[in-house]
Amino acid sequence: MSIYEYFVKLHRYLLWQTKKIRALERRLHALEARLREMEAQPRTSIERIEYKFDQLKVETLEGTLNIGITPPGAGGTIEDFAVEPVKTVIPKPEPVLMRPIQEKVAAYLNGEASETLKRLEQQYGRRLDDTYRQFILQDIARQTDERIRFYLQEKANHGYVPSGDRDEAVENEIFQKVKADIEQSLDAFLKHFPSGEGST
């Protein structure tokens, strides 16, 4: 990691930390204001309560004791409160097309994307070192699964129902969309990348 990258990350971290501190300060002020409001409200104080049990006389004790589980008139026995067996939640499997599209995107990022990045460097007069190129491509790779899921969901929203078999036409269509997104991201990044930064 170059010194520039270190300072960029440090700067981002400090910005994040500053935002977090400001958010905590706002919450603290809001809590202090609520506390002042609660302190300003009149309080009800109950003086001493005295029970004189020696003056009570109970001849018979009848009725039902409800201890908070069953309201009066609901009936039921303790057996009615048996615990239902815990249902196991099985995670929804990834769509059939997910893995093949991931593989195509990974192959693109490991090969052609590097050449696309170099071509864009020349186009915009920028020069990146290999480490920085790898950093950019790895960052993009972390975001591709989300884009693939987005396009698969988009297809489903338009009535596409995948069969159990692979659908290469849809695979290629979504791969091309993700590839176009990647190239657009690289283009936008290099277009706004200050010259001289990340260079060899």
Side-chain angles (χ1 to χ4, degrees), residues 140 180-190:
I140 287 175
D181 287 348
I182 291 169
E183 290 177 352
Q184 186 177 5
S185 298
L186 293 174
D187 185 271
F189 177 77
L190 282 172

Side-chain angles (χ1 to χ4, degrees), residues 25-41:
E25 286 174 342
R26 284 193 298 272
R27 288 182 67 189
L28 179 62
H29 291 309
L31 288 171
E32 287 173 343
R34 283 186 66 190
L35 181 61
R36 283 193 295 273
E37 285 176 17
M38 292 174 71
E39 287 175 344
Q41 291 176 352

Side-chain angles (χ1 to χ4, degrees), residues 6-73:
Y6 172 77
F7 282 115
V8 166
K9 286 185 178 181
L10 181 63
H11 177 69
R12 287 181 185 152
Y13 178 74
L14 290 173
L15 286 175
W16 173 83
Q17 201 172 39
T18 304
K19 286 180 186 175
K20 191 77 171 170
I21 289 169
R22 287 182 183 149
L24 290 171
E25 286 174 342
R26 284 193 298 272
R27 288 182 67 189
L28 179 62
H29 291 309
L31 288 171
E32 287 173 343
R34 283 186 66 190
L35 181 61
R36 283 193 295 273
E37 285 176 17
M38 292 174 71
E39 287 175 344
Q41 291 176 352
R43 295 185 182 188
T44 304
S45 61
I46 299 173
E47 298 296 326
R48 203 169 131 197
I49 298 174
E50 293 183 23
Y51 294 100
K52 301 194 186 228
F53 290 104
D54 57 333
Q55 295 176 359
L56 293 174
K57 183 178 178 186
V58 178
E59 291 181 9
T60 59
L61 186 63
E62 295 178 3
T64 305
L65 178 62
N66 289 317
I67 53 173
I69 296 177
T70 309

Side-chain angles (χ1 to χ4, degrees), residues 33-196:
R34 283 186 66 190
L35 181 61
R36 283 193 295 273
E37 285 176 17
M38 292 174 71
E39 287 175 344
Q41 291 176 352
R43 295 185 182 188
T44 304
S45 61
I46 299 173
E47 298 296 326
R48 203 169 131 197
I49 298 174
E50 293 183 23
Y51 294 100
K52 301 194 186 228
F53 290 104
D54 57 333
Q55 295 176 359
L56 293 174
K57 183 178 178 186
V58 178
E59 291 181 9
T60 59
L61 186 63
E62 295 178 3
T64 305
L65 178 62
N66 289 317
I67 53 173
I69 296 177
T70 309
T77 62
I78 195 72
E79 288 80 17
D80 294 338
F81 299 104
V83 177
E84 293 290 325
V86 176
K87 294 179 181 175
T88 306
V89 177
I90 300 169
K92 187 177 178 183
E94 289 285 7
V96 177
L97 301 176
M98 186 72 178
R99 175 61 59 199
I101 298 170
Q102 285 174 319
E103 289 169 359
K104 287 181 181 183
V105 170
Y108 168 73
L109 287 170
N110 291 330
E112 191 182 332
S114 184
E115 296 306 314
T116 302
L117 190 53
K118 288 176 185 176
R119 180 179 49 78
L120 289 168
E121 286 176 52
Q122 290 177 348
Q123 180 180 335
Y124 292 111
R126 308 291 188 259
R127 180 90 178 121
L128 304 177
D129 59 27
D130 289 334
T131 308
Y132 202 62
R133 279 189 205 103
Q134 283 303 111
F135 174 75
I136 292 168
L137 294 175
Q138 285 170 358
D139 188 49
I140 287 175
R142 284 191 288 270
Q143 302 170 48
T144 56
D145 284 358
E146 184 180 334
R147 294 305 295 165
I148 296 169
R149 285 189 191 95
F150 170 79
Y151 287 123
L152 286 169
Q153 185 60 49
E154 191 177 68
K155 290 293 282 181
N157 291 345
H158 287 90
Y160 175 74
V161 179
S163 64
D165 300 326
R166 288 180 58 177
D167 187 338
E168 290 193 32
V170 173
E171 280 177 30
N172 288 330
E173 177 188 340
I174 293 175
F175 166 68
Q176 290 301 328
K177 287 182 178 181
V178 173
K179 179 182 172 185
D181 287 348
I182 291 169
E183 290 177 352
Q184 186 177 5
S185 298
L186 293 174
D187 185 271
F189 177 77
L190 282 172
K191 187 185 293 183
H192 298 99
F193 190 77
S195 58

